[in-house]
Amino acid sequence: MKTILLFGPVLSKLKNAYGGGTGGYTRNMSVYLNHFRSDEFTIVPCFHTVRGQYDFGPFTAPARLAKDISAFISGLVKARPDGVHILAQYRGAIPREFAVVLISRMLGKPVLYEIKAGAFMQWYSSTNPLSRRLTDFCLKSSKVVLAEGSVYLDFVKETFGKEAHYFPNFIPTEEIPDEVSDKLRDEELKVLFVGYCYKDKGVYEVVSGCEEAARQGTRIRLTIIGKEHDDFTRWMDSKAEQPNLKIQRLGLQPHKEVLRHFKLNDIFCYPTSHKGEGHNNSINEALMMGLVIITTRKGFLGDILSDESAYFLKEVSTGEVGEAIRAIDGQREVATKRSSNGRRLFQERFTSEVAFKKLSRCYDELVRRSPRAKDGG
C-alpha cells in the first residue's frame, strides 16, 4: 500500500465560507479524506492554515507560513509518504506551495499539483514577476499536474511544458440520490440562488429578474442561501413586498440543509460575471438534483454545461434573467428535458466513482519510478 500525503485546508467552518456552509477547498479536502477508497493507495492528511483562522496583525502571513511549513515537515516525518498531493490555491498561497514543492524535491518526494478554481490563468498573467517565478518552479517541479478546467490544459502545456490531466470537480457517489423529484410541476416556480451575495455573482440580477417576471404574471418563490455582503443586505432590506413573488433569505446554511433546498426547488439561477468562476460545488449539486440551470459562460461554466443542459444568458442583466425565467415557465417540457440532460451529464462525468478511478491512475503515475531510476541512472 502506497501512502499519499494530501496537503490542504484545515477542516473547520470559518467566516470566509460564503456559500453552503464550507468553502470549496475545504469541501474538496473533506471529500478526498472521507470517500477515497483504494487497494493500492491510502491518503494521509496534512492540514495548512486558512485565512481567518489566526490574527497576528502584520505578522499573520509570516506566522501562518512558518506554521504551515512546520506542519508539512512533521507530516513527512510521520507519514513517510511515497508522494505528495497539493490542493493548489496559488495566488496568496504561492509562497507556501513553493516551500512545499521545494522541500518535497529536496527529499525526493514526487509532487502532484492540483490546480483548483477558475482564476489561475488570469492571476498568473497579471501577478508580479516573483510570484510567476515561484509558480514556474511549482509546476515544472511537479511530476503530475491536475487541472479543474479543461481550458487549463493547453495553457499549462504552452506555459510550463507540462501535460496536465483534466480533473473536474465532483460529488461523492454516496451523496447522489437514485432518483430526484419531478421539477416544474406547480404553478409557482421555485428559484434558488446559492453563493456569496455580492455583485459579481449576479445575485442582484437574480432578484430583479424574478421581480420583472413576477410583474408579468409569473408566480415565483425565490430562496437565497449564502453570506450577504453589507451592500446587498441594505438593498434587500429596502425592498417592499411584490405580488407574485415571495423571497426567503437564509444566509449561511449547513451543507445538508443546502442539499435539502436543492431538492425542493425547480431552478438554480447563478448568473455570475466572475471571470475566474471555477467548477463550483453548487453547479454539481444543481445537476445532481435535476434542477433547471440558468447561468453564464464565465470561467469553466461554458465547458461544463451546454445549450442542451442549461439556459445561458447573453449578458448578466435583469432583462436576461427575467426572460430566461419566463422561457422556462412557457416551455416547461423543454426545460425539463434540459434538466434531465444535465443530470445525465453529471452522472457520466462528475461523480467520485469516475473521479477516483482517474485519481488512482494519476497516483500510480506519481509514485512509479522511471526506468532510469530503477537502473540507477
Side-chain angles (χ1 to χ4, degrees):
M1 181 77 75
K2 302 290 186 180
T3 299
I4 305 297
L5 188 67
L6 179 64
F7 188 69
V10 62
L11 301 181
S12 298
K13 181 178 177 180
L14 298 167
K15 61 184 179 182
N16 61 329
Y18 295 129
T22 59
Y25 284 98
T26 304
R27 169 71 170 155
N28 293 146
M29 185 74 171
S30 176
V31 169
Y32 281 126
L33 296 179
N34 293 321
H35 297 277
F36 180 78
R37 301 289 182 271
S38 170
D39 294 331
E40 300 177 65
F41 301 99
T42 183
I43 291 177
V44 175
C46 179
F47 299 111
H48 63 65
T49 61
V50 295
R51 186 176 53 192
Q53 186 178 359
Y54 298 103
D55 184 6
F56 300 117
F59 303 104
T60 299
R64 282 184 57 198
L65 180 60
K67 183 175 179 61
D68 292 338
I69 292 174
S70 176
F72 180 66
I73 294 173
S74 176
L76 289 174
V77 171
K78 293 178 181 178
R80 297 183 179 276
D82 299 281
V84 175
H85 179 172
I86 301 173
L87 293 184
Q89 300 187 32
Y90 44 96
R91 292 170 286 200
I94 199 64
R96 173 177 66 208
E97 292 169 4
F98 168 78
V100 168
V101 174
L102 177 62
I103 294 169
S104 298
R105 182 171 177 174
M106 292 172 61
L107 297 178
K109 303 296 182 183
V111 172
L112 183 154
Y113 192 85
E114 182 178 355
I115 306 173
K116 306 296 291 184
F120 182 70
M121 289 192 298
Q122 295 92 333
W123 171 81
Y124 182 82
S125 300
S126 62
T127 193
N128 61 74
L130 176 59
S131 291
R132 279 199 296 272
R133 293 286 294 274
L134 297 182
T135 307
D136 291 346
F137 178 83
C138 288
L139 270 292
K140 292 177 180 180
S141 299
S142 296
K143 188 174 181 181
V144 179
V145 177
L146 303 185
E148 188 176 272
S150 60
V151 295
Y152 284 169
L153 302 183
D154 288 341
F155 179 78
V156 171
K157 175 65 174 177
E158 294 168 4
T159 307
F160 307 104
K162 303 287 289 189
E163 294 285 352
H165 300 275
Y166 176 48
F167 196 70
N169 208 352
F170 58 91
I171 297 287
T173 301
E174 294 85 347
E175 294 183 4
I176 302 171
D178 294 331
E179 297 181 353
V180 295
S181 58
D182 293 336
K183 306 301 180 185
L184 305 173
R185 298 193 66 179
D186 301 328
E187 180 184 352
E188 180 182 67
L189 292 182
K190 294 180 282 294
V191 180
L192 177 67
F193 174 90
V194 176
Y196 183 31
C197 299
Y198 82 119
K199 60 183 180 63
D200 283 354
K201 293 297 185 180
V203 65
Y204 287 88
E205 288 78 10
V206 172
V207 175
S208 298
C210 286
E211 288 175 334
E212 181 173 302
R215 281 193 293 270
Q216 298 194 30
T218 304
R219 291 182 57 197
I220 299 170
R221 178 186 296 273
L222 171 62
T223 300
I224 300 173
I225 296 177
K227 179 181 173 63
E228 295 185 358
H229 189 281
D230 291 343
D231 291 343
F232 179 76
T233 298
R234 287 191 291 269
W235 184 70
M236 287 298 299
D237 289 346
S238 69
K239 287 186 169 294
E241 291 187 10
Q242 179 178 325
N244 293 326
L245 177 61
K246 300 175 183 177
I247 301 177
Q248 56 176 349
R249 296 152 55 195
L250 302 181
L252 281 172
Q253 293 290 311
H255 185 242
K256 287 185 179 180
E257 188 66 12
V258 177
L259 289 179
R260 187 177 75 86
H261 283 281
F262 272 111
K263 182 178 180 180
L264 294 174
N265 283 274
D266 301 312
I267 299 170
F268 179 60
C269 192
Y270 192 69
T272 177
S273 60
H274 180 41
K275 292 180 180 179
E277 193 66 53
H279 186 166
N280 58 53
N281 294 316
S282 59
I283 287 292
N284 273 352
E285 288 161 352
L287 291 169
M288 175 178 73
M289 292 298 187
L291 274 72
V292 183
I293 295 176
I294 300 173
T295 191
T296 66
R297 297 184 186 273
K298 295 294 184 181
F300 296 161
L301 298 178
D303 287 335
I304 299 167
L305 303 167
S306 71
D307 290 321
E308 301 300 315
S309 57
Y311 286 78
F312 286 112
L313 305 177
K314 297 176 183 177
E315 61 180 11
V316 181
S317 68
T318 295
E320 280 285 301
V321 173
E323 183 177 336
I325 291 173
R326 293 194 303 275
I328 292 168
D329 189 33
Q331 294 183 305
R332 295 193 176 203
E333 288 187 8
V334 173
T336 300
K337 183 176 181 180
R338 290 195 193 187
S339 70
S340 297
N341 290 341
R343 179 168 162 81
R344 184 163 54 252
L345 169 73
F346 165 79
Q347 291 172 316
E348 292 173 354
R349 299 182 62 186
F350 306 135
T351 70
S352 63
E353 182 179 0
V354 174
F356 286 155
K357 287 179 181 178
K358 186 167 189 177
L359 184 62
S360 291
R361 293 195 296 270
C362 291
Y363 281 167
D364 184 63
E365 179 184 345
L366 178 68
V367 303
R368 189 189 313 127
R369 299 178 65 189
S370 66
R372 284 190 65 188
K374 290 180 181 179
D375 295 339

